[in-house]
Each structure stands twice: as structure tokens, then as C-alpha cells.
Amino acid sequence: MPAQAKVEASTARAAGAAARPSPKLATSRQHGGPPSPPLTERQEARRRRILHASAQLASRGGFDAVQMREVAESSQVALGTLYRYFPSKIHLLVATMQDQLEHMHGTLRKKPPAGETAAERVAETLMRAFRALQREPHLADAMVRALTFADRSVSPEVDQVSRQTTAIILDAMGLDDPTPEQLSAVRVIEHTWHSALITWLSGRASIAQVKIDIETVCRLIDLTSPDTP
């Protein structure tokens, strides 16, 4: 079972969470209508072009450079079509972050962390992910700002970011069936990682300090292990 599916199953058992929905157009989700069908191959290709254009614009100029009209032009879709997929720039950039994390997850799987303990492997994985974002500071800043600005209307996109981050952490831990206590530790680690991104982007923390914080919070993994007396 893929790690993302494990996250869904484990979270549902631990907290009664619903399973992850298939990708859908934003309109029905926003207005509480009936669930939309999964995207067709053509719609998914269009969505990928939009996300790629968003990432490219953000990489060049950050948050302010991502303008919906320019995204539509770059991805060769009508502006109205773009808004059907993503009702706002915040929706788009948070979805872009989920997409970037998904690509990052695939890269991390090709070269798994080498640490001896789960805590060491998670710390190594998160620092590798952090350094990948460090190479694209404008893009990282745009995505993190969007995540910070997101309100309840962006909850589905924010949830996808959280699930993807959780899947990355659980893969590094090598867990098939995490306990509620372990999932709680993962959430704290996730929050710390996102906070570290914010403090680094704002110039309030060095890479060295981020590494110390990540390694420190990852020790929670050992404390929540079922084998810990």
C-alpha cells in the first residue's frame, strides 16, 4: 500500500478522518454542491499546466509575480477556466505546494535516507526537502505565504499539503500502521518543519538553527515508539 494511502487509513482510524478525495474541480467543493467526478485525462493535463505555470512565475518573482491572468496565459487556458480549477491565487499556490511536495516525495523515494533510527531518517529527509526548497527561495516564499494566508475556503488544499507531508515523514519512519501517539508526533514534527521554513524565509533563523530544531523535534519519534518503556 502506498504511504499516502497508509496515512489516510491510519488517520481515519485515529481521528475519524475521511479518506482523501480524488482531484476535482473547485466549483462544487467551494459551493457545497454534489461531489464532482474525477478529472478526465485532458482536465488533469490542463491542471498540470496550470500548476507548472504557477511554479514558474513564483520561482521568478515570488508571491506577487503569480497573477491569475498571467498564469492563464502561460498555461494556455481561459481565465474563467483557471478560476474553475482554483478560485483564487491562494488556492492555486497552496495546490502548487502540494504538487511540489509530491514531486519531492518521488525524488526522496529514489534515494531513501540512510539513518539507523527512525528519528535520524526523518530528520535527514526533512532537511533534504528543506534544502530543495532553499534552492528556489522565491517559490518557497510564495507557497509558504499562501499557506499562511489560507482561510477555511482553502481547507481541502491545505489538507492535501498536510497529508503529503505526513506521507513523507511516515515513509522515512518506515511505518505501515502508526499508532495515534505516533501520528500526533508526526503532526508536531510537521508543524515544526513548516515553522522552520517561515523563520528561515523571514531571515530569523539560519540553516544551522533549522537543522538543530528539526533534529530535536524528531526525537519525539523515539518517545512515541511502542517499544519505548
Side-chain angles (χ1 to χ4, degrees):
M1 180 186 291
Q4 191 110 3
K6 296 172 189 173
V7 175
E8 297 294 349
S10 299
T11 306
R13 287 194 297 271
R20 175 182 177 179
S22 301
K24 300 174 177 67
L25 294 180
T27 308
S28 296
R29 183 182 60 205
Q30 278 290 104
H31 297 91
S36 302
L39 298 182
T40 64
E41 184 175 344
R42 184 176 179 182
Q43 288 171 330
E44 181 59 33
R46 186 181 297 130
R47 182 177 184 274
R48 298 224 58 80
R49 292 202 309 273
I50 292 170
L51 292 172
H52 178 74
S54 170
Q56 289 293 308
L57 288 168
S59 294
R60 291 198 292 266
F63 184 85
D64 293 336
V66 181
Q67 301 298 323
M68 297 297 270
R69 187 171 297 279
E70 290 190 34
V71 172
E73 291 174 357
S74 297
S75 57
Q76 299 180 321
V77 302
L79 185 59
T81 300
L82 172 59
Y83 278 108
R84 286 178 58 211
Y85 283 81
F86 303 102
S88 74
K89 172 176 168 175
I90 302 298
H91 288 80
L92 174 57
L93 280 170
V94 175
T96 300
M97 185 170 191
Q98 190 278 330
D99 188 59
Q100 292 293 311
L101 288 171
E102 187 174 346
H103 284 296
M104 200 179 295
H105 195 183
T107 301
L108 291 166
R109 280 173 169 165
K110 292 176 183 177
K111 188 179 179 183
E116 293 184 4
T117 68
E120 290 174 350
R121 292 193 299 272
V122 172
E124 179 187 338
T125 294
L126 293 180
M127 285 308 299
R128 284 171 60 189
F130 187 90
R131 291 190 179 97
L133 292 172
Q134 185 188 4
R135 290 192 288 270
E136 294 282 359
H138 291 308
L139 174 59
D141 181 67
M143 295 187 302
V144 171
R145 285 177 65 180
L147 197 64
T148 303
F149 296 154
D151 58 21
R152 287 186 179 182
S153 71
V154 199
S155 290
E157 288 81 4
V158 173
D159 287 346
Q160 295 284 28
V161 168
S162 178
R163 289 182 180 120
Q164 189 65 59
T165 309
T166 299
I168 289 172
I169 295 171
L170 288 179
D171 257 9
M173 292 171 69
L175 280 182
D176 291 332
D177 190 20
T179 65
E181 291 78 13
Q182 288 172 320
L183 284 173
S184 181
V186 167
R187 284 192 295 272
V188 175
I189 293 168
E190 178 186 337
H191 296 329
T192 301
W193 187 71
H194 286 154
S195 177
L197 272 175
I198 293 171
T199 55
W200 173 74
L201 287 166
S202 64
R204 293 183 287 119
S206 65
I207 298 298
Q209 186 60 57
V210 167
K211 186 173 185 293
I212 291 171
D213 291 349
I214 294 298
E215 290 175 347
T216 300
V217 76
C218 284
R219 292 173 191 160
L220 285 174
I221 294 171
D222 296 332
L223 296 177
T224 57
S225 171
D227 299 329
T228 301

